[in-house]
Amino acid sequence: MTADLAGLIATALGRSVAPDAHLAVAASGGPDSLALLTLAAAAFPGRVTALTVDHRLRAESAAEAAAVAAQCAARGLPHATLVRDGPALAANMQAQARAARYRLLGDWCAANGVNLLLTAHHADDQAETLLMRLNRGSGSAGLAGIRAARPLWPDQPGGVWLVRPLLAWRKADLAAVAAAAGWQVVDDPANRDPRHDRSAVRALLAAAPGFDVAALAASASHLAAEAEALDMVAAWAWDGRVEAQGKGLRIDARGLPAALVQRVLARAIRELGGRDARGQDVARLAARLGAGRPGTLAGVLARPGVLAGGPWRLLPAPERRAPPSNRRKSPA
């Protein structure tokens, strides 16, 4: 499989890469990321920096990052190792590690004037993501899977863009590129740990050759296109159906399809400072409001209209007060 990486990035972004733009590649040391680094260095000579994140989750991680740095130096590729500091990761370790990784990568890019960050997510990753989210009951936004491009921080216009130009590539093809380029790859045992959802789904796909990984990835791509269209219509609905009211928001959801109601409701929660909520939780809240019952989600209180079918009111949920102590004061 051949690659026009500049064209793939342009397709993902909807625009060409500027002639003087510098790019960063997240290079973990695995075959996927080293293949992407190989392709990027060939497409944008002298304009690529490899970034390796050391999460300090394993004793070997520092040596592995150093090995990637040494191989980059031998090839004349700029490289930086980004080390995660802070307390040990506990519950939901993979999600926390992913958030820390993107924060470190994004901060480096912002500090160095780099607005394109490339990662080597591929078709196998996309298929795994689709199956994982189906198993969680995700809505259309979640089933859209891994997006080809998105702003790393949506609230910062003109900031760092995260681009995945290889979503149509298979993992085996990328491994072949890395091998042909002579890279010594890193083997992370966490990728095979059955305690992680992704590892379990990966093993399922490997054991069931009847699954067509390319078709699953294509389905996620089709869903992403439909989700983009729904997002556009939801933005129009927001402009016509939502208005500020004091410290809250007033939403007229009458007659809107459920998919639009849920998108408008999710945006309202974010606008009021709430955390991102899962699609199924937003759907349950929308159903409660439609039935005339209030609800609270992600730190936001939602109330139905006074009249049946009337506009909903959303407010930041009041902070909970600590229960009074039952202990009596000792006499002086």
Side-chain angles (χ1 to χ4, degrees):
M1 189 172 187
T2 59
D4 169 17
L5 193 66
L8 292 173
I9 295 172
T11 298
L13 285 172
R15 57 180 171 82
S16 298
V17 178
D20 59 347
H22 199 94
L23 300 86
V25 173
S28 65
D32 314 333
S33 64
L34 295 177
L36 174 60
L37 182 57
T38 300
L39 298 172
F44 307 99
R47 296 160 56 191
V48 175
T49 297
L51 303 178
T52 302
V53 174
D54 178 4
H55 290 96
R56 292 185 171 174
L57 296 177
R58 296 183 294 114
E60 306 86 357
S61 63
E64 290 168 354
V68 175
Q71 292 184 81
C72 286
R75 290 166 168 77
L77 292 173
H79 177 277
T81 297
L82 313 177
V83 180
R84 186 192 70 84
D85 291 318
L89 303 180
N92 203 4
M93 182 182 295
Q94 283 200 321
Q96 290 189 59
R98 182 171 58 253
R101 179 165 61 252
Y102 282 127
R103 183 174 63 252
L104 287 167
L105 293 168
D107 286 347
W108 186 93
C109 288
N112 289 274
V114 175
N115 65 3
L116 292 178
L117 170 64
L118 311 185
T119 66
H121 291 91
H122 46 71
D124 296 68
D125 292 325
Q126 188 72 289
E128 293 162 8
T129 299
L130 178 63
L131 291 179
M132 287 166 58
R133 293 183 180 175
L134 277 169
N135 194 49
R136 294 172 185 166
S138 296
S140 58
L143 296 178
I146 303 169
R147 302 298 179 97
R150 67 173 177 85
L152 198 55
W153 298 301
D155 58 341
Q156 296 181 12
V160 180
W161 275 79
L162 177 61
V163 185
R164 286 87 166 228
L166 301 179
L167 287 177
W169 280 58
R170 295 297 306 275
K171 181 178 181 67
D173 296 323
L174 294 174
V177 170
W183 290 98
Q184 296 298 311
V185 304
V186 171
D187 178 30
D188 185 350
N191 291 329
R192 298 183 299 277
D193 189 336
R195 293 174 298 177
H196 302 316
D197 289 348
R198 185 172 293 277
S199 300
V201 170
R202 185 172 297 144
L204 171 67
L205 286 172
F211 276 112
D212 187 333
V213 169
L216 289 171
S219 292
S221 178
H222 300 326
L223 287 165
E226 293 179 5
E228 184 178 1
L230 281 171
D231 287 342
M232 181 178 294
V233 179
W236 296 337
W238 178 276
D239 291 340
R241 299 294 194 102
V242 181
E243 62 181 53
Q245 194 172 68
K247 295 182 178 180
L249 293 170
R250 179 179 179 274
I251 300 176
D252 180 2
R254 289 173 294 185
L256 291 179
L260 293 184
V261 171
Q262 291 166 28
R263 278 169 164 74
V264 169
L265 195 54
R267 177 176 170 181
I269 290 170
R270 293 193 301 270
E271 294 276 342
L272 293 174
R275 304 175 302 277
D276 279 339
R278 288 188 174 184
Q280 56 189 342
D281 295 328
V282 175
R284 280 194 288 267
L285 178 59
R288 286 184 64 88
L289 292 168
R293 293 181 293 157
T296 301
L297 179 60
V300 173
L301 173 63
R303 293 173 176 157
V306 176
L307 301 176
W312 303 337
R313 180 85 188 280
L314 272 68
L315 293 161
E319 294 184 6
R320 294 183 178 180
R321 295 182 179 179
S325 174
N326 292 325
R327 292 182 300 173
R328 294 183 178 180
K329 293 182 179 180
S330 301

